[in-house]
Amino acid sequence: MAERWATFGIDLHLEPTGPGLRRGLTDALREAVRTGRLAPGTRLPSSRSLATDLGIARNTVADAYADLVAEGRLTARQGSGTRVADRAVPRPPARPSTPGRAPGRLPYDLVPGTPDLASFPRAGWLRAARRALTAAPNDAFGYGDPRGRPELRTALADYLARVRGVRADPERLVVCAGFAEGLRLLCTALRARGARTLAVEPYGLDVHWDLVERAGLRTVPLPVDDAGPRPGDAGDAGAVLLNPAHQFPLGGALVPERRAEAVDWARRTGGLVLEDDYDGEFRYDRQAVGALQDLDPDHVVYLGTASKSLAPGLRLGWMVLPERLLPDVLAQGAGRSVGVLEQLTLAEFLTSGAYDRHVRAARLRYRRRRDALVAAVTARAPEVRVTGIAAGLHAVLRLPPGTEQSVVRAATWQGLAVHGLSRFRHPAATVPPADALVVGYATPPDHAWTGTLEALCKALP
């Protein structure tokens, strides 16, 4: 029999088979309930509606329903309609766990890279979403501009100019699904332009290095001296990836001489500087370091994200591009991966001032956590030095030589997830290794902060 469909709130697909319509319909419904395809509590179409959709007599459907009510597979109540009975449905056997994987998450978490997700401004975001949806023009729900919604690009350009010193023209701003997608688009565009290598800092994230190499570029770590990485020695690399305002994971800022050196290298070679400003809003003991992009917008790509200020699950990021690079990036499929409602909501969140209020409140909360971390470590582990704390959402705990791996194991015994500095070292880096922990003090929710800090102190030497 050809596929037929009936709809009553949900789509219901049935294929009555066998001799007789009543028996065939009853068997099809019984099988759908028995296998769990129709979950307990699912409301079925009325007998009149289903009969019309299947092209059969209403009494045939009513009789099939009655048979299954008598079996206990369906329930029928006045005013509630016919529903699948609330009874156990066989479930497929659970897959065996993968060998070598931890049976579950540790109760305490100081892995860097995530803000306190419990502090996401749900009420404010919902208000912004309602206002944005109400005010959105009809054409907002079409395919639109590949750079992203103009409302968000305009709001971001104003915000970045005011807060980060970025020279941001909305026409050269592209919305993307977070930093990783922006980096992928840039690397693919660079590869198409003939680039072969990307110079990176000797400490960073392997997921970014892997992404770069999947895009067809080789990552080469920059040389380092006492003043930090030397972008002027990037040689013939197609681009240099830097965290000028707050290096991850070491936590320092690129000194003015090296910022100028990076721009000079780009002008001299025709290369690009990719500026990752992943947590530029958070600073505590110093004035904010302005964006490197302001020194030369024609040679610096500015990349920002809401992953640290709001939440990574939003998948919202942005790039401010040199004009000459814009067509190449758009040719890689930019601007198609972020939903229009998220873009309109963030635009409203920015222009209403809600974003500024949220960032200021988060900055105060994270500063208190940082201060508590420093005080606890100083009091209970005097041999450990806390560095990289003037800004951002993580700190580096410098450990006695040769102790990093033992401290990470001790942390696991305390139920604490934390990473050692060696995890973030580029395989080809020539900088001498150092023993340290990279502590993401923004990660735990407020209710878990005290217990997390206690677990950390117990693991330290």
Side-chain angles (χ1 to χ4, degrees):
M1 176 181 248
E3 291 187 350
R4 299 179 183 271
W5 293 84
T7 303
F8 191 94
I10 62 169
D11 286 336
L12 178 59
H13 173 63
L14 290 174
E15 290 186 356
T17 57
L21 282 174
R22 173 178 172 178
R23 179 176 175 181
L25 178 59
T26 303
D27 289 346
L29 283 167
R30 182 186 294 114
E31 182 68 8
V33 172
R34 186 188 66 79
T35 60
R37 186 168 71 83
L38 293 179
T42 298
R43 184 169 181 172
L44 301 182
S46 69
S47 58
R48 183 188 303 275
S49 174
L50 185 57
T52 300
D53 288 341
L54 294 179
I56 61 179
R58 179 183 179 188
N59 286 343
T60 301
V61 178
D63 290 343
Y65 279 1
D67 291 344
L68 294 174
V69 168
E71 293 178 12
R73 297 183 186 276
L74 302 181
T75 61
R77 294 186 178 88
Q78 186 68 30
S80 181
T82 304
R83 297 178 181 271
V84 177
D86 186 12
R87 57 195 298 274
V89 175
R91 297 181 181 273
R95 289 184 178 182
S97 59
T98 303
R101 291 185 62 183
R105 295 179 59 183
L106 295 174
Y108 303 116
D109 189 358
L110 287 174
V111 174
T114 304
D116 176 6
L117 300 179
S119 69
F120 179 78
R122 298 177 188 232
W125 189 259
L126 181 59
R127 287 192 296 271
R130 285 173 174 163
R131 289 194 296 265
L133 190 58
T134 300
N138 292 335
D139 65 5
F141 303 101
Y143 290 106
D145 193 316
R147 294 169 297 182
R149 284 300 301 172
E151 297 92 337
L152 178 55
R153 290 188 286 113
T154 300
L156 280 170
D158 292 344
Y159 175 81
L160 295 172
R162 171 171 58 86
V163 175
R164 301 298 298 127
V166 176
R167 285 194 262 173
D169 180 350
E171 298 300 307
R172 295 189 291 107
L173 198 153
V174 175
V175 178
C176 54
F179 172 79
E181 196 211 16
L183 181 61
R184 179 187 64 80
L185 291 168
L186 287 166
C187 289
T188 306
L190 287 168
R191 184 69 178 81
R193 291 167 66 99
R196 295 294 180 269
T197 59
L198 177 73
V200 298
E201 294 170 310
Y203 282 94
L205 286 171
D206 57 356
V207 293
H208 293 164
W209 301 328
D210 292 344
L211 184 154
V212 171
E213 296 190 358
R214 286 197 301 272
L217 300 180
R218 185 168 58 95
T219 59
V220 179
L222 290 166
V224 175
D225 59 22
D226 291 341
R230 304 203 310 258
D233 292 338
D236 61 355
V240 177
L241 176 61
L242 298 172
N243 304 142
H246 186 234
Q247 202 278 334
F248 183 89
L250 298 180
L254 197 64
V255 298
E257 294 79 9
R258 294 294 162 84
R259 291 162 67 91
E261 186 179 302
V263 171
D264 289 343
W265 168 84
R267 290 170 176 168
R268 184 177 70 253
T269 65
L272 287 170
V273 177
L274 310 184
E275 178 180 10
D276 178 9
D277 194 31
Y278 67 101
D279 65 357
E281 294 94 343
F282 297 108
R283 76 277 183 184
Y284 311 111
D285 299 326
R286 59 167 169 80
Q287 292 294 317
V289 177
L292 178 64
Q293 187 261 7
D294 180 50
L295 296 180
D296 192 338
D298 292 329
H299 289 91
V300 180
V301 178
Y302 178 90
L303 296 106
T305 174
S307 295
K308 304 301 182 289
S309 57
L310 287 169
L314 295 177
R315 308 309 304 146
L316 282 165
W318 44 87
M319 300 180 284
V320 182
L321 300 168
E323 187 172 358
R324 61 189 170 95
L325 191 61
L326 182 61
D328 295 330
V329 171
L330 293 180
Q332 307 308 320
R336 303 299 189 193
S337 55
V338 183
V340 66
L341 183 55
E342 288 80 7
Q343 294 187 53
L344 293 172
T345 301
L346 180 57
E348 172 64 26
F349 208 65
L350 284 162
T351 56
S352 69
Y355 186 82
D356 284 273
R357 291 191 294 273
H358 169 74
V359 168
R360 286 195 298 269
R363 189 184 298 147
L364 178 60
R365 183 168 62 254
Y366 293 146
R367 176 170 185 161
R368 288 171 176 165
R369 288 195 188 185
R370 183 210 63 172
D371 292 347
L373 170 68
V374 173
V377 172
T378 301
R380 304 202 27 198
E383 293 186 13
V384 176
R385 185 166 54 95
V386 186
T387 64
I389 59 174
L393 303 177
H394 72 276
V396 178
L397 275 57
R398 301 285 181 170
L399 303 171
T403 63
E404 180 183 305
Q405 295 306 314
S406 63
V407 171
V408 171
R409 285 195 298 270
T412 303
W413 296 334
Q414 295 295 331
L416 172 66
V418 67
H419 289 335
L421 180 61
S422 60
R423 181 188 183 98
F424 304 100
R425 189 171 185 270
H426 193 284
T430 57
V431 60
D435 290 88
L437 296 182
V438 182
V439 173
Y441 55 79
T443 305
D446 284 341
H447 71 267
W449 172 240
T450 301
T452 304
L453 189 55
E454 178 65 20
L456 173 66
C457 290
K458 287 181 178 178
L460 295 175

